[in-house]
Amino acid sequence: MADALLLLLHVLILVYWLGGDLGAFVASFLIANPANDRAARLGAARLLGDVDMAPRTALILAFPTGFALAAARGWVAVDLVWIAVSCVASLIWLFVAWRIHLDHAAPGSSLRQIDLGLRWVVAAGLGAGGVAGLAGVMGWPLFVNLKLLILAGCVLTGLFVRRLTADLGPALGALAAGQTDADTRIARSLAATRPAVLFIWLLLLAAALLGLWKPQ
């Protein structure tokens, strides 16, 4: 039962990640279309921010659930204390991410800086673990090492998306104020992010395939 519940949770994380990303992707077109009513576009922007918390949450929970599942199935040999540490650390990170969303934290706020630092640390740790596994240092199955690298790639791509959308918030403020350059800024910002979002989808599909295939 414990194994089944861990597997279900890990699968649901993939479902909500892709589903939330799809909802945000569709909302981006509504926001960028100048033919839509301004109030509707601003409402779609708020909806995008809410829906986007599903993939943000899924990213944070992907590693601890996958780590616990891999340990339960004997793919990685680790002490249970490390699984507990990963779960606690992920919950702390999740709390920070949700506080940022609920408090509408400013770009330079301490919470955002903490979240940014955590993402770089996690990306580096996952990447190092995947490379060490491929080099034979850890003795993990091939698919586990590749999934670590894929998750690191998702984190790094997410950081790249943040840079691409740095002007989106100010541009939406310009739209609310009726400034004439808002449409161009919003369209440019959202158009730049879509290829990166599609790349994350490809990474997630590759991770799902590896989880089903399990190449050793």
Side-chain angles (χ1 to χ4, degrees), residues 97-190:
W98 273 95
R99 288 316 316 171
I100 290 171
H101 175 66
L102 295 174
D103 294 346
H104 305 289
S109 67
S110 58
L111 280 177
R112 286 192 179 274
Q113 293 304 312
I114 291 171
D115 179 71
L116 183 63
L118 285 171
R119 290 175 188 274
W120 281 111
V121 169
V122 167
L126 292 170
V131 170
L134 290 177
V137 176
M138 308 304 294
W140 297 337
L142 174 62
F143 76 95
V144 170
N145 302 322
L146 293 177
K147 290 187 74 172
L148 288 174
L149 292 175
I150 286 173
L151 188 53
C154 288
V155 176
L156 291 174
T157 307
L159 289 169
F160 181 55
V161 168
R162 285 190 174 199
R163 176 167 294 187
L164 293 175
T165 57
D167 187 49
L168 181 58
L172 290 170
L175 175 65
Q179 297 179 17
T180 56
D181 65 337
D183 290 342
T184 301
R185 291 167 62 188
I186 291 171
R188 181 173 60 241
S189 181
L190 291 175

